[in-house]
């Protein structure tokens, strides 16, 4: 058995100490943790963090990371003192909008398996007696939430790691990262060089500085956040044992960007309601008056927060603010941590932008990743390489991180785009789309039309206020036009690569599940798996030459995975920005396209899932006969400089056939009617192809591929399945992530959902036990506290014989 590697962890805060503990527990004992500060309060965010752990999150992954943190820290003590107090968490509403959102959060808790309850105002006051029930409308209570004593948790986990052989070195400032032949060799400090095979940067808001030493952008922004402690509150006198500190739940007043926790007979108050305060320069631990992460309190910024606190908790009126600080925390552009290995420097890992709430969960996932090669949890939302290059620009990082600070407690709709900086990435069709009144949302920096004001609205069932946001009845008309006539969709933002070279076929065969060894002109739907057999992505691969393939992918994580396995005989090129794509789909699509080209686009001339190069007018295109809306048509690719010409030709030719430009909202509705999956939403690395209903994309007889042996080892017959549902009420709508109930108990959760305009009711896909995944089974989907009857349906719902798409 190989000797475990030498590991150096930069940062002895709550993440670094937890990671040392998790690694040593797994038998990796040659662990060195270095920090510029003193042990075990080195001066980063965890040294001053108030330690509130609220588990419920719209992200399943973040909820699971927090749940493990609660589980682990609850079992830790330091010299008999607690590291986690499970006092519960209470979020209160003072507005109807917030009360409505608490019902949504209750549904999220049920989806992710967190015990929770909705409380009326009187029940809230029983749980937290400082509340005046007349001032609130209700609350959301999670009994297992609570308080982490971050500094104690750091030391408790560090001691366990030390007992197993790890060493912790305080007063060691990192000055460089040792490198040789593309691998990390160790860490240079002001006290000497520490050799290592693996280096993990868990330096918190110093992460960008450490990253630069390794040639890596760590896209986070340190921001100051206000925290104040009151003087003695008479109503708390004698309530709390000084050792225990708190008995009442941690409290969030998100309508005013506030949270509260007890400190004996005092109350701690945190505020996100002030202006964003980026911090770019830090004093060293020796120079800082308190610690580098604690800056002087700016009382004027806190004044509105104090007024709002007293309004919610009248007993504070006579207490006043006794002390305060502006504490520094890390914010990213999308609110998720940064986890993963540097692609250009093997062995250099990052575990950054992690708050106490998720610290132990992140540490366990990274430890598993290092030791087993698999984090054991879907981390695509947290992956270091999830960003496009444009999203790593310093100005972009600052704009988005500041906005995330502003919105940290806002009710954010799942479709709500960031406002700045926009527009960033536009397709060549953007001028025409604007002329047609496109309503743009944004993804990965791309402006994406979701519908067009120029199209007539259709009659649709009325919607509730939440589901009507970022939606229009025009969507129904665009979906109908696609089914009945012909529509143009801008598919430019979809990631695509050119893979070429003498080893291209072998490379792609090794990386994917389906057989790509087909004639030139073939197009194949396939999957990329991880080594555990989980779905990393789904791809569409077109063989354009003996040694040339065009790969339609999902995003930067696909490129990262591919480059990590890329042999010298293969070239991988991202062609997304230099090309564009129109999806021309609908029963009249051939009537639009064929007169513009000498190439044969008949059914016999270009069959389903085939590709060819041709000219449309003067424009050279690569045409692929595929359709994720379930209608006849093609994806037409050309270079970006010719995109507008292609659009105009198709538009003019389509006028007599009733052509429309259609957006992503109609696309999503149509693809769900056909049962087409979306990676990252319907399936992730936590799912295998058989569970996800994608066994047809796996060819076990083609030879070896990544994940094959794991699939062979899995038991026959999945115990859960991605399942098609329709809501029984034709007017009912759900949007995704809602819990699914069977027999009155939570049984699963919705992944994707959209109104199916062709079938006249909402279509939802959900993960359910296989025993429930039987057509005709009655279930219910909870939407804002209301359980909507639904029925399991056989898929696909539309054109199950594929007659339209193959016509």
């Amino acid at each position: 058995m190989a000797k475990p590697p030498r590991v150096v962890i930069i940062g002895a805060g709550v993440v670094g100490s937890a990671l040392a503990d998790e690694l040593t527990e797994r038998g990796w004992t040659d662990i060195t943790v270095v920090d510029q500060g003193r042990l075990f309060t080195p001066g980063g965010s965890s040294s001053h963090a108030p330690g509130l752990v609220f588990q419920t999150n719209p992200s399943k992954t973040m909820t699971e990371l927090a749940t493990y943190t609660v589980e682990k820290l609850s079992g830790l003590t330091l010299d008999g003192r607690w590291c986690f107090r499970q006092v519960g968490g209470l979020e209160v509403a003072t507005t109807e909008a917030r009360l409505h959102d608490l019902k949504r959060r209750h549904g999220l808790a049920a989806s992710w398996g967190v015990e929770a309850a909705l409380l009326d105002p009187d029940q809230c006051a029983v749980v937290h007696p400082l509340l005046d029930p007349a001032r609130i409308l209700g609350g959301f209570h999670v009994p297992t939430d609570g308080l982490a004593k971050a500094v104690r948790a750091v030391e408790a986990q560090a001691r366990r790691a030390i007992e197993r052989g790890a060493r912790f070195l305080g007063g060691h400032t990192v000055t460089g990262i040792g490198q040789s032949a593309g691998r990390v060799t160790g860490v240079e400090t002001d006290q000497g060089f520490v050799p290592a095979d693996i280096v993990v940067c868990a330096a918190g808001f110093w992460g960008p500085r450490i990253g630069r030493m390794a040639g890596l952008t760590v896209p986070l922004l340190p921001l100051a956040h206000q925290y104040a402690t009151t003087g003695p509150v008479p109503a708390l006198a004698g309530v709390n044992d000084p050792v225990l500190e708190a008995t009442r739940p941690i409290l969030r007043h998100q309508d005013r960007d506030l949270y509260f926790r007890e400190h004996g007979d005092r109350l701690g108050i945190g505020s996100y309601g002030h202006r964003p305060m980026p911090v770019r320069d830090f004093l060293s631990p020796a120079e800082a008056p308190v610690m580098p992460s604690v800056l002087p309190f700016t009382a004027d910024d806190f004044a509105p927060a104090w007024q709002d606190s007293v309004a919610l908790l009248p007993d504070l009126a006579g207490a006043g603010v006794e002390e305060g600080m502006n504490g520094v925390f890390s914010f990213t552009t999308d609110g998720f941590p940064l986890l993963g290995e540097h692609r250009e420097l093997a062995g250099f890992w990052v575990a950054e932008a992690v708050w106490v709430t998720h610290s132990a969960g992140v540490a366990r996932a990274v430890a598993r990743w290092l030791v087993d090669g698999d984090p054991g949890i879907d981390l695509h939302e947290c992956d270091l390489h999830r960003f496009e290059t444009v999203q790593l620009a310093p100005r972009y990082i600052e704009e988005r991180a500041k906005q995330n600070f502003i919105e940290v407690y806002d009710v954010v709709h799942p479709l709500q785009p960031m406002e700045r900086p926009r527009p960033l990435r536009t397709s060549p069709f953007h001028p025409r789309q604007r002329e047609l009144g496109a309503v743009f949302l944004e993804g990965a920096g791309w402006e994406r039309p979701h519908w067009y004001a120029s199209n007539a609205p259709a009659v649709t069932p009325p919607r509730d206020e939440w589901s009507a946001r970022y939606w229009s009845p025009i969507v129904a008309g665009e979906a109908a036009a696609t089914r009945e006539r012909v529509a143009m969709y801008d598919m430019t933002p979809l990631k695509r690569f050119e893979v070429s070279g003498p080893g291209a076929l072998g490379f792609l065969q090794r990386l994917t599940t389906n057989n790509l060894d087909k004639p030139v002109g073939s197009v194949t739907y396939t999957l990329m798996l991880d080594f555990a057999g989980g779905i990393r992505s789904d791809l569409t691969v077109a063989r354009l030459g003996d040694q040339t393939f065009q790969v339609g992918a999902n995003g930067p994580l696909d490129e990262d995975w591919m480059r990590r396995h890329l042999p010298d005989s293969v070239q991988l090129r991202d062609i997304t920005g230099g090309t564009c794509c129109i999806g021309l789909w609908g029963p009249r699509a051939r009537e639009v396209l064929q007169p513009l080209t000498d190439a044969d686009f008949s059914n016999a001339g270009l069959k389903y899932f085939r590709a060819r190069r041709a000219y449309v007018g003067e424009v050279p295109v690569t045409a692929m006969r595929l359709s994720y809306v379930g209608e006849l048509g093609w994806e037409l690719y050309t270079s970006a400089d010719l995109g507008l010409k292609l659009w105009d030709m198709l538009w003019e030719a389509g006028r007599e056939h009733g052509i429309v430009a259609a957006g992503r909202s109609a696309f999503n509705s149509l693809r769900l009617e056909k049962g087409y999956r979306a990676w990252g939403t319907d399936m992730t690395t936590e799912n295998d192809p058989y569970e996800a209903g994608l066994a047809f994309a796996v060819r076990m007889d083609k030879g070896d591929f990544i994940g094959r042996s794991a699939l062979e080892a899995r038991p026959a017959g999945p115990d859960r399945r991605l399942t098609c549902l329709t809501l029984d009420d034709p007017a009912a709508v759900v949007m995704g992530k809602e819990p699914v109930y069977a027999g009155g108990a939570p049984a699963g959760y919705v992944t994707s959902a959209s109104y199916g305009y062709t079938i006249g009711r909402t279509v939802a896909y959900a993960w359910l036990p296989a025993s429930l995944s039987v057509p005709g089974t009655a279930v219910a989907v909870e939407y804002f506290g209301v359980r909507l009857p639904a029925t399991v349906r056989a898929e696909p719902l539309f054109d199950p014989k594929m007659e339209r798409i193959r016509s």
Side-chain angles (χ1 to χ4, degrees), residues 67 74 386 460-462 515 573 647 656 664 673:
T67 299
S74 294
R386 65 188 180 269
T460 61
N515 186 12
R573 189 164 64 97
W647 177 284
E656 63 180 289
R664 294 291 297 180
E673 290 181 335

Side-chain angles (χ1 to χ4, degrees), residues 191-398:
Q191 306 295 314
F193 186 74
V194 185
D197 305 300
I198 293 172
V199 172
V200 182
C201 178
F205 53 73
W206 284 285
R209 181 187 302 176
I210 302 298
R212 286 190 291 272
M213 297 177 188
L216 177 70
T217 297
V218 177
L220 66 80
L221 181 71
L223 284 155
H225 155 64
Q226 291 200 300
Y227 189 78
T229 307
T230 69
V233 178
L236 291 178
V239 170
N240 293 313
D241 183 314
V243 174
L244 298 181
E245 291 189 28
T247 55
R248 278 86 176 260
I250 51 176
L251 177 66
R252 283 206 282 204
H253 179 22
Q254 291 166 292
D255 286 322
R256 289 294 182 268
D257 299 303
L258 292 167
Y259 64 79
F260 306 88
R261 61 151 292 182
E262 293 173 339
H263 293 278
D265 64 351
R266 290 162 166 76
L267 205 65
I269 307 170
S271 171
Y272 292 102
H274 54 82
R275 59 193 169 91
M277 295 184 277
V279 184
R280 296 179 178 85
D281 297 306
F282 296 94
L283 298 174
S284 70
E287 298 169 321
V290 181
M291 62 180 76
S293 62
V294 173
L295 306 180
F297 186 62
T298 51
D300 289 346
D301 289 308
F302 193 75
W306 176 251
Q307 294 174 356
D308 291 330
S309 297
V310 173
L312 181 72
L313 308 171
D315 286 317
L316 299 184
V321 174
E322 189 169 88
E323 57 183 3
M325 66 174 176
N326 288 7
V328 182
F329 291 93
S330 299
F331 282 77
T332 59
T333 60
D334 58 4
F336 289 95
L338 303 167
L339 311 176
E341 184 183 17
H342 191 343
R343 191 164 60 234
E344 278 87 42
L345 184 61
F348 185 86
W349 287 71
V350 165
E352 288 290 350
V354 181
W355 292 9
V356 173
T357 301
H358 309 103
S359 58
V362 164
R364 180 176 67 166
V366 173
R368 287 174 167 176
W369 209 348
L370 289 169
V371 176
D372 304 325
D374 182 344
I377 184 175
D378 168 45
L379 290 179
H380 82 272
E381 294 169 308
C382 308
D383 197 295
L384 172 66
H385 300 285
R386 65 188 180 269
F387 301 108
E388 298 282 354
T389 303
V390 70
Q391 296 173 301
L392 299 177
R395 287 181 60 180
Y396 183 97
I397 294 168
E398 176 154 343

Side-chain angles (χ1 to χ4, degrees), residues 740-748 768-769 772 777-780 787:
V740 179
Y741 284 78
L768 292 177
L772 296 176
T777 301
V779 294
R787 294 187 188 174

Side-chain angles (χ1 to χ4, degrees), residues 399-737:
E399 282 281 351
R400 292 291 170 100
K402 288 195 297 187
Q403 189 63 26
N404 272 315
F405 178 90
I406 292 169
E407 295 179 352
V408 70
Y409 277 174
D410 287 0
V411 177
V412 178
H413 193 277
L415 294 177
Q416 182 175 329
M418 285 283 191
E419 297 176 1
R420 299 185 307 273
R422 289 179 64 192
L424 264 183
R425 310 174 80 186
T426 57
S427 79
F429 321 129
H430 192 249
R432 298 294 182 265
Q433 292 166 343
R434 294 187 64 181
E435 290 168 8
L436 293 170
V439 175
F440 295 97
L441 301 184
E442 183 261 1
W446 286 100
E447 295 296 317
R448 300 184 177 192
H450 274 243
W451 66 86
Y452 293 82
S454 58
N455 294 324
V459 177
T460 61
R463 286 197 170 207
D464 66 285
E465 189 275 336
W466 182 256
S467 66
R469 294 188 200 178
Y470 307 103
W471 172 85
S472 166
I474 290 172
V475 174
E478 293 178 359
T482 309
R483 291 276 188 246
E484 297 165 6
R485 304 190 305 277
V486 60
M488 293 165 55
Y489 289 81
D490 182 0
M491 306 303 289
T492 302
L494 299 183
K495 196 79 167 174
R496 40 196 177 275
F497 308 113
E498 181 185 85
V499 179
S500 61
L505 175 60
F507 165 67
L508 290 172
Q509 287 281 71
R510 167 70 176 151
L511 222 58
T512 67
T513 59
N514 213 331
N515 186 12
L516 307 180
D517 191 4
K518 298 176 182 178
V520 172
S522 298
V523 182
T524 306
Y525 176 81
T526 187
L527 307 173
M528 286 197 302
L529 307 182
D530 61 17
F531 288 97
I535 303 171
R536 281 197 61 94
S537 188
D538 61 342
L539 309 176
T540 302
V541 182
R543 191 170 194 177
L544 303 181
D546 285 340
Q547 300 180 358
T548 304
F549 297 80
Q550 182 171 311
V551 178
N554 284 296
L557 292 181
D558 295 337
E559 180 176 7
D560 178 59
W561 182 254
M562 294 170 80
R563 289 197 181 279
R564 290 181 187 278
H565 297 89
L566 195 68
D568 292 339
S569 60
V570 179
Q571 292 78 50
L572 173 66
R573 189 164 64 97
D574 183 350
I575 61 172
T576 312
T579 57
C580 59
C581 179
I582 294 174
L584 181 71
W585 293 313
R588 299 184 190 174
R590 187 174 284 121
E591 297 170 59
V592 174
L593 183 60
Q594 187 63 76
L596 299 175
T597 179
D598 294 332
D600 184 1
F601 277 85
S602 68
N603 190 42
L606 187 62
K607 294 183 178 181
Y608 184 55
F609 261 77
R610 297 283 294 176
R612 75 182 312 160
R613 290 191 169 109
Y615 281 91
V616 176
E618 304 85 357
V619 177
V621 301
T622 298
M624 299 185 195
R625 190 173 168 194
L626 16 137
S627 167
Y628 283 90
V629 299
E631 296 291 340
L632 167 68
W634 303 268
E635 292 180 356
L636 301 172
Y637 296 89
T638 191
S639 56
D641 60 322
L642 293 169
L644 199 57
K645 177 67 174 176
L646 178 62
W647 177 284
D648 288 344
M649 280 194 296
L650 294 172
W651 185 259
E652 187 60 33
R655 283 181 182 274
E656 63 180 289
H657 301 289
I659 199 167
V660 303
R664 294 291 297 180
S665 294
F667 178 91
N668 195 48
S669 169
L670 297 169
R671 69 104 180 163
L672 282 172
E673 290 181 335
K674 282 297 293 179
Y676 294 140
R677 279 69 166 139
W679 187 84
T681 303
D682 297 317
M683 57 200 183
T684 68
T685 54
E686 294 183 355
N687 315 118
D688 71 35
Y690 308 119
E691 297 171 327
L694 297 174
F696 69 89
V698 179
R699 293 289 182 267
M700 299 295 281
D701 58 354
K702 77 162 192 171
D704 196 22
F705 56 85
I706 292 174
R708 177 193 166 112
S709 58
L711 292 185
E712 290 177 325
R714 294 199 176 193
D719 59 5
R720 60 176 179 168
R721 294 185 186 275
L722 186 61
T723 304
C724 178
L725 313 174
T726 57
L727 299 189
D728 295 352
D729 181 353
V733 174
V734 297
M735 300 188 66
K737 301 188 177 182

